[in-house]
Amino acid sequence: MAERSESDSRNLLGRLRDTLAEEGPAQARLDRITHLIADSIHTEVCSIYLFRDADTLELCATEGLRPEAVHQTRMRVGEGLVGKVAKTAEPVNTEDAPSMPGFRYMAETGEEIYSSFLGLPIQRLGETLGVLVVQSREKRTFTDDEIYALEVVAMVLAEMKELGAFVGEGAALAAPHQRSEMFHGTVGQEGTAEGHVWLHEPRVVVTNLVADDPEAELERLDQAVERLRVGVDEMLQSVSTADKDQRDVLEAYRMFANSRGWMKRMQEDITRGLSAEAAVEKEQSTARARMQVVADAYLRERLHDLDDLSNRLLRILTGQGKHTGAEMPASPILIARNIGPAELLDYGRSLRGIVLEEGSVGSHAVIIARALAIPLLVHAERITTEALNGDHVMVDGENGIVHLRPDESVVTAFRDKMAMQAEAQKRYVTLRDKPAETRDGIRIALHMNAGLMADLPSLDSSGAEGVGLFRTELQFLVRDKMPRRGELVQIYDQVMDAAHGMTVQFRTLDIGSDKVLPYMNPTDEPNPALGWRAIRVGLDKPGVMRMQLQALIRAANGRPLTIMFPFVAQFDEFRAARDHVFRELEREASLGHVLPENIEVGAMLETPSLAFAPRQFFEMADFISIGGNDLKQFFFAADRENERVRRRYDTLNVSFLSFIEQIVERCRDVGTRLSFCGEDAGRPVEAMCFAAMGVRTLSMRPASIGPVKHLLRRVDLAEARAVINQARAGGSMSVRPAIRGWLTGLRS
Ligand code: PEP
Ligand code: MG
């Protein structure tokens, strides 16, 4: 019996393929398909229901029900047995449909005489497009084999490109990957962008769904799976035992690649007439459908792994690599599950926007996207499954929203918003050469943060007065091996050249915590942000820090040099690091190198403890820069990368502002130069409040200089200060509402 049904279903698939290949009106072909299925499965009725919109299904073709009902009969998702299949994406199989809970017959179809009912979802890559139903008068329960065969048929049906055309007059059925969708993500880099999807890892296109020679297909599958297993084993061998996360993922890959169940299901699909790649895709589709409903994060991750593995297998079977020959569209918006910093740099400024399914706001890719000022969202779930190369897409990096294939109203509203931003940008350009001077005559120096060669052109275009933070670790992060001293000399030399004599505050390597170098042994720390990082590594293992100091001295080659140490928690650490600088100066001099004309050594204030350091620290430091990103996370004990707590404490919280004020006073007492270089310096309202507390230098992303300057030039800082003081005295938790109210008053 099983054998007969296998050959039946192969026959059916063959006939189906011929029908699909036929020319002619789409409706006629769909009608023929229902006829074929009913004939082959020996039922009186076969019907196809498709989604008309997100909530409604429509009868689009039938063999056996009344023809007048086609394109007339509709039901809501969840309504009746057909609606139930659509809602749950699970088959309903009963010999006595009328007795089923939720049964509801549609009188106009004449279906009341049929007792047995089998309904299956028509799915493509985890997305339900409609429902395939067979019915018969005779009471019968459909066998597992029959269900299986129909599932395969449903999958082939789902591949029909023109499914959308089958819906009634004027109705716009959003066929797979055609309807507009909205995704929510977390903002990694603000900004808005409109463009077309460019998939970092394009989906494999399967064109041959049905195959005539199952033996040959089984052989192909075997060989491909074998290659896949070898590949996974090789990857596992190449990963260091210390890299636990990557090993976990690869171990999961290996488990799936050796899973008998997975293999058996694909083999069964092939025996029923699918090609090897269609069988893989069918399994992938099932995994995706499950992925959308499982709540458990670990399980979802594993299903994601299976999805990845299926993609690899499809690439082996079809020979399609990452480069499918597709041309990058104009205004590309990169969509990926995740991306490494080096890969992102390869794309460079050609990208208009980036949307990632994973990633975190502190990841290297995000740091790079920020440096390149490309709007970026992370955690946009399902986007890689839904987006197709070339799709129209709009990224709203203010509100963390992606509009995929947006409809007209969204396009219009979004373009209006972009036009307003462009207007503002024009205004900022006119401010480029004007000082950031407040109404009451206080000059604030605006510097930029940098770290990549790609940042250098911004030195000219932004109107920055210097580089307040050069994150040297970015040059280390984007490489797959430790850069040599000579390379660093070249890079630092170019940076100083581009600065045309303006100050560049080179921050020594800040690794550890979220910044892990791929070529250094990861340390397994329970709490890396509070662990062995930045200057702690530099002092304990000074080799790399010394090499970096030598490179900086050589690159300066007689020019002034400014060096800043990250993550200093106590005076001793600063003194020891500073001693290294002077030791290296001596060494370089003894080797005959020209020494910098002037050298300044400063510290980043990123831990609350440093604000309470002895006066001698403030006297010894040539300057101090507040690293607000870290300072804020330690001040409030709220992880800067943890979405749950990140925004819980406002930067304009009175405690934090009062703390900044104390730091200002301590620096003022001994005449130590002070700046603020965390992300908040680039937010106009925050920047203005820091200035009101007495900070006179702010360092930020180049793109923020215009907006910050624009606001500073419009306000009276003494007034702002009075508003802040009043809010503090009144017991407010944050001064934001008071400042916002005051700014609104200014505008009107
Ligand atoms: C900071 O902590 O504010 C800072 C500027 O350093 P980073 O963001 O690189 O840790
Ligand atoms: Mg920091």
Side-chain angles (χ1 to χ4, degrees):
M1 171 71 191
E3 251 173 49
R4 191 178 69 80
S5 80
E6 272 169 20
S7 70
D8 275 358
S9 82
R10 262 210 308 285
N11 267 338
L12 172 59
L13 279 184
R15 287 159 74 193
L16 205 57
R17 181 182 50 187
D18 295 343
T19 308
L20 289 175
E22 275 168 18
E23 295 287 322
Q27 183 69 52
R29 285 194 293 149
L30 203 62
D31 291 343
R32 185 155 160 65
I33 288 168
T34 52
H35 170 77
L36 275 179
I37 297 172
D39 182 46
S40 135
I41 208 117
H42 313 297
T43 56
E44 287 105 335
V45 176
C46 171
S47 313
I48 292 171
Y49 297 82
L50 294 172
F51 271 100
R52 181 185 171 84
D53 55 42
D55 308 313
T56 321
L57 290 147
E58 181 172 305
L59 176 66
C60 289
T62 187
E63 164 79 18
L65 296 184
R66 289 194 191 123
E68 318 82 84
V70 172
H71 297 307
Q72 299 304 320
T73 292
R74 291 190 188 151
M75 70 252 339
R76 301 191 66 76
V77 173
E79 185 185 348
L81 297 185
V82 174
K84 184 176 173 191
V85 175
K87 186 172 178 190
T88 57
E90 296 283 343
V92 169
N93 179 14
T94 171
E95 59 168 27
D96 187 7
S99 71
M100 287 284 284
F103 172 80
R104 185 175 163 253
Y105 76 86
M106 303 286 177
E108 72 275 15
T109 62
E111 68 179 333
E112 62 275 20
I113 52 173
Y114 301 107
S115 176
S116 313
F117 175 102
L118 170 62
L120 297 156
I122 302 173
Q123 280 181 316
R124 167 110 218 269
L125 292 170
E127 182 175 29
T128 304
L129 312 176
V131 178
L132 173 65
V133 176
V134 289
Q135 291 170 283
S136 67
R137 271 177 214 244
E138 168 209 4
K139 275 193 186 329
R140 66 185 266 200
T141 311
F142 295 92
T143 63
D144 284 351
D145 271 330
E146 285 166 328
I147 297 175
Y148 215 97
L150 278 182
E151 271 176 2
V152 174
V153 168
M155 182 193 168
V156 174
L157 260 178
E159 295 292 334
M160 287 180 72
K161 288 196 186 57
E162 337 82 309
L163 274 192
F166 295 120
V167 181
E169 191 87 349
L173 172 104
H177 301 295
Q178 280 176 25
R179 63 169 154 258
S180 62
E181 290 227 39
M182 194 166 103
F183 300 84
H184 290 272
T186 305
V187 178
Q189 160 68 30
E190 285 144 21
T192 42
E194 177 178 4
H196 296 96
V197 168
W198 180 247
L199 291 169
H200 181 51
E201 296 214 299
R203 203 174 349 277
V204 179
V205 185
V206 178
T207 45
N208 59 328
L209 289 161
V210 181
D212 296 325
D213 183 354
E215 289 308 318
E217 293 302 303
L218 286 170
E219 181 61 29
R220 284 182 65 226
L221 180 72
D222 268 352
Q223 285 177 3
V225 169
E226 192 46 39
R227 270 183 62 192
L228 180 77
R229 284 180 189 146
V230 172
V232 171
D233 285 344
E234 280 171 4
M235 281 192 284
L236 255 171
Q237 273 161 17
S238 69
V239 172
S240 125
T241 43
D243 195 343
K244 201 173 159 307
D245 286 350
Q246 207 183 340
R247 285 196 79 84
D248 279 356
V249 170
L250 288 173
E251 290 289 1
Y253 279 7
R254 181 149 76 176
M255 187 188 83
F256 285 126
N258 289 299
S259 149
R260 291 239 192 96
W262 187 50
M263 198 63 192
K264 190 160 165 275
R265 286 192 300 273
M266 292 192 290
Q267 284 164 340
E268 278 175 8
D269 289 333
I270 291 176
T271 345
R272 288 189 155 74
L274 285 192
S275 66
E277 36 277 74
V280 177
E281 203 177 79
K282 182 164 172 280
E283 271 303 297
Q284 188 180 26
S285 184
T286 313
R288 282 190 179 175
R290 264 189 241 140
M291 204 146 66
Q292 286 171 23
V293 291
V294 293
D296 181 79
Y298 178 79
L299 209 60
R300 251 205 331 260
E301 263 310 299
R302 296 287 79 84
L303 286 167
H304 234 320
D305 294 339
L306 180 57
D307 193 59
D308 262 3
L309 201 72
S310 307
N311 277 337
R312 280 170 197 273
L313 194 52
L314 285 174
R315 282 184 206 291
I316 295 174
L317 280 165
T318 59
Q320 290 173 29
K322 260 195 196 179
H323 305 287
T324 53
E327 252 188 50
M328 196 190 264
S331 310
I333 302 230
L334 185 89
I335 302 224
R337 231 185 118 180
N338 216 337
I339 188 166
E343 288 172 306
L344 190 52
L345 269 182
D346 280 346
Y347 285 109
R349 288 189 197 276
S350 62
L351 301 176
R352 285 288 167 90
I354 303 165
V355 184
L356 303 180
E357 231 173 81
E358 299 176 349
S360 79
V361 284
S363 69
H364 309 155
V366 175
I367 294 171
I368 305 256
R370 280 203 192 123
L372 297 172
I374 301 172
L376 177 147
L377 298 184
V378 296
H379 298 154
E381 278 190 35
R382 290 191 307 111
I383 187 118
T384 56
T385 334
E386 295 302 323
L388 292 183
N389 261 345
D391 277 349
H392 187 197
V393 60
M394 292 175 141
V395 180
D396 179 348
E398 250 81 70
N399 301 308
I401 291 173
V402 185
H403 301 283
L404 183 66
R405 304 178 283 263
D407 50 40
E408 257 335 287
S409 58
V410 172
V411 172
T412 316
F414 197 85
R415 287 196 181 144
D416 285 350
K417 182 172 167 169
M418 285 185 56
M420 271 167 58
Q421 286 175 346
E423 271 303 305
Q425 279 305 329
K426 273 196 216 145
R427 262 205 314 276
Y428 303 146
V429 171
T430 64
L431 292 178
R432 182 189 168 281
D433 297 317
K434 300 204 169 119
E437 186 168 325
T438 62
R439 284 247 166 102
D440 47 345
I442 296 171
R443 275 286 298 265
I444 309 292
L446 302 186
H447 290 214
M448 64 173 246
N449 295 346
L452 297 168
M453 303 315 272
D455 294 323
L456 300 184
S458 304
L459 258 165
D460 275 336
S461 60
S462 67
E465 295 171 60
V467 178
L469 166 64
F470 190 89
R471 290 181 162 105
T472 59
E473 64 277 2
L474 296 195
Q475 296 296 337
F476 285 70
L477 281 170
V478 298
R479 285 178 165 68
D480 48 19
K481 58 181 193 298
M482 178 80 79
R484 289 205 305 270
R485 186 176 55 196
E487 274 178 89
L488 293 181
V489 173
Q490 260 188 7
I491 292 165
Y492 301 153
D493 175 51
Q494 281 178 39
V495 175
M496 288 187 225
D497 278 352
H500 304 300
M502 292 188 287
T503 311
V504 180
Q505 297 191 164
F506 285 99
R507 172 174 82 181
T508 60
L509 213 50
D510 181 8
I511 48 161
S513 186
D514 59 315
K515 299 166 191 149
V516 183
L517 299 183
Y519 41 87
M520 276 173 108
N521 277 344
T523 45
D524 196 7
E525 296 186 307
N527 211 336
L530 304 175
W532 198 55
R533 54 175 289 200
I535 197 174
R536 299 173 184 177
V537 181
L539 291 175
D540 294 354
K541 290 216 184 279
V544 180
M545 184 170 84
R546 287 185 48 211
M547 185 263 278
Q548 207 186 5
L549 292 174
Q550 291 156 13
L552 284 165
I553 296 167
R554 288 185 199 182
N557 193 21
R559 291 177 283 195
L561 177 63
T562 308
I563 296 171
M564 171 159 83
F565 288 106
F567 213 63
V568 180
Q570 59 182 14
F571 181 24
D572 269 16
E573 288 170 342
F574 179 67
R575 189 164 35 204
R578 189 171 172 275
D579 285 349
H580 272 292
V581 175
F582 288 101
R583 230 172 287 138
E584 291 314 317
L585 281 170
E586 270 177 37
R587 179 179 177 275
E588 291 298 290
S590 71
L591 291 173
H593 292 289
V594 183
L595 293 190
E597 160 191 277
N598 175 39
I599 185 140
E600 291 183 307
V601 186
M604 284 190 76
L605 198 154
E606 301 180 279
T607 60
S609 65
L610 200 62
F612 302 95
R615 184 181 172 90
Q616 286 81 347
F617 160 71
F618 289 87
E619 286 168 352
M620 184 180 280
D622 292 313
F623 63 91
I624 286 171
S625 190
I626 299 176
N629 305 336
D630 276 317
L631 186 64
K632 194 177 150 199
Q633 79 164 337
F634 298 123
F635 188 75
F636 289 112
D639 187 342
R640 66 194 256 187
E641 284 205 55
N642 181 339
E643 286 306 319
R644 268 226 171 117
V645 298
R646 209 162 72 82
R647 289 180 212 274
R648 192 179 177 96
Y649 305 98
D650 190 359
T651 304
L652 300 187
N653 177 298
V654 291
S655 313
F656 192 62
L657 283 187
S658 299
F659 186 47
I660 300 285
E661 186 179 34
Q662 278 186 35
I663 299 169
V664 168
E665 279 163 9
R666 291 216 66 188
C667 288
R668 196 183 284 150
D669 274 355
V670 280
T672 315
R673 225 170 61 224
L674 176 70
S675 59
F676 187 110
C677 69
E679 288 302 310
D680 284 322
R683 303 196 167 102
V685 176
E686 280 80 343
M688 195 265 298
C689 289
F690 297 151
M693 303 322 288
V695 179
R696 292 291 172 261
T697 304
L698 299 165
S699 192
M700 62 200 73
R701 282 182 275 127
S704 302
I705 291 183
V708 168
K709 196 187 278 186
H710 179 66
L711 180 62
L712 284 173
R713 286 171 59 85
R714 294 176 54 234
V715 298
D716 182 310
L717 272 194
E719 263 184 43
R721 172 72 180 219
V723 173
I724 291 172
N725 283 347
Q726 204 180 7
R728 286 201 285 190
S732 303
M733 198 146 59
S734 162
V735 307
R736 193 177 296 278
I739 285 287
R740 202 180 274 148
W742 173 68
L743 285 172
T744 316
L746 284 187
R747 267 175 215 131
S748 56

